[in-house]
């Protein structure tokens, strides 16, 4: 089966992923050996404690297996559906990123208190 594209639905079904073959993985550098000769327990589990040190506690993984039997864990952070629109709108995302960069550079100004609007609906 050929590689497919990710469906537009934000939570593709397991059956979709089981049909997709991963052609390649993104690499950001060299691999670091975290543990040597780790053996799965009786329930085929392995402990990733050391490998996950310092990672975001909300991380989840897509798990891929290649033809050589190597397992690849691709970390991801889920975005709430109510925020997904931002990542689908390149102009809005660029504006937010620009604003964050300006704030980091100290290019901000106070607009005063907004307390008077707190009771408005």
């Amino acid at each position: 089966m050929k590689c497919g594209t990710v469906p537009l639905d934000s939570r593709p079904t397991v059956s979709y992923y089981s049909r997709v073959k991963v052609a390649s993985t993104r690499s950001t550098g060299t691999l670091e050996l975290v543990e040597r000769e780790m053996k799965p327990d009786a329930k085929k589990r392995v402990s990733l404690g050391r490998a996950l040190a310092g990672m975001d506690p909300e991380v989840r993984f897509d798990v891929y297996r290649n033809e050589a039997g190597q397992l690849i864990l691709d970390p991801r952070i889920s975005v709430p559906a109510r925020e997904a629109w931002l990542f689908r709108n390149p102009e809005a995302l660029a504006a937010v990123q620009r604003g964050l960069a300006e704030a980091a550079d100290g290019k901000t100004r106070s607009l005063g208190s907004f307390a008077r609007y707190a009771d408005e609906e």
Side-chain angles (χ1 to χ4, degrees):
M1 179 177 289
K2 294 182 180 178
C3 282
T5 57
V6 175
L8 295 177
D9 136 349
S10 63
R11 292 193 158 264
T13 60
V14 173
S15 63
Y16 167 81
Y17 281 120
S18 66
R19 294 189 317 261
V20 174
K21 290 190 178 179
V22 178
S24 65
T25 60
R26 288 169 272 135
S27 178
T28 58
T30 60
L31 294 174
E32 172 190 354
L33 178 64
V34 177
E35 184 95 18
R36 186 175 293 282
E37 304 236 3
M38 181 183 292
K39 183 178 179 183
D41 67 12
K43 293 184 178 182
K44 301 196 181 294
R45 298 175 297 191
V46 294
S47 174
L48 299 174
R50 284 191 214 169
L52 299 180
M55 291 192 94
D56 187 309
E58 297 298 318
V59 73
R60 302 289 186 264
F61 295 92
D62 286 344
V63 182
Y64 299 96
R65 182 174 44 218
N66 64 18
E67 292 83 13
Q70 296 170 317
L71 299 176
I72 299 166
L73 301 178
D74 188 13
R76 52 177 62 272
I77 301 293
S78 296
V79 176
R82 69 182 181 278
E83 297 173 12
W85 71 270
L86 180 62
F87 297 94
R88 293 183 181 133
N89 184 327
E91 293 169 5
L93 183 58
V96 169
Q97 290 170 332
R98 217 173 20 257
L100 290 172
E102 289 173 2
D105 290 342
K107 298 177 182 175
T108 60
R109 62 185 169 104
S110 175
L111 297 176
S113 173
F114 285 83
R116 65 181 172 203
Y117 303 108
D119 294 331
E120 288 186 10
E121 289 184 28

